[in-house]
Amino acid sequence: PQGLYITAVDREQTCGLQPGDVITHINDTHVTDLPDAVMMRERFRAGETVTVTFFRRGVTRTEELVLLDRMTVFSDCNL
């Protein structure tokens, strides 16, 4: 699927994303690349929760993630 490919996740993080996952939507908005994800991030404040839809090993999954500051996209998960 087209989306934001996750290449690495800090092992100490517990965001639910793993290397190889492909983020396809953030709050029902299609994400195709990092600029899309950054643009989506600009719409929210630190501490807000967003719904992230991603593809992993042939299965579409959804997780709710808490946003941190503008330098880190998701709490518990640096992209």
Side-chain angles (χ1 to χ4, degrees):
Q2 187 177 20
L4 179 62
Y5 183 78
I6 305 299
T7 58
V9 176
D10 188 329
R11 290 182 186 200
E12 295 179 17
Q13 309 299 332
T14 59
C15 68
L17 295 174
Q18 299 176 1
D21 290 349
V22 179
I23 296 176
T24 58
H25 293 82
I26 298 175
N27 277 7
D28 296 323
T29 299
H30 190 250
V31 175
T32 58
D33 53 23
L34 185 57
D36 282 350
V38 171
M39 184 174 65
M40 284 297 300
R41 174 61 186 97
E42 295 296 321
R43 297 180 184 177
F44 302 97
R45 294 183 194 165
E48 289 186 289
T49 300
V50 295
T51 302
V52 177
T53 303
F54 58 97
F55 188 78
R56 179 186 296 155
R57 296 184 205 113
V59 178
T60 299
R61 301 169 187 248
T62 301
E63 295 277 343
E64 289 191 352
L65 303 176
V66 178
L67 298 172
L68 291 179
D69 59 40
R70 299 215 184 273
M71 297 301 293
T72 304
V73 178
F74 301 116
S75 115
D76 298 331
C77 186
N78 296 324
L79 301 182

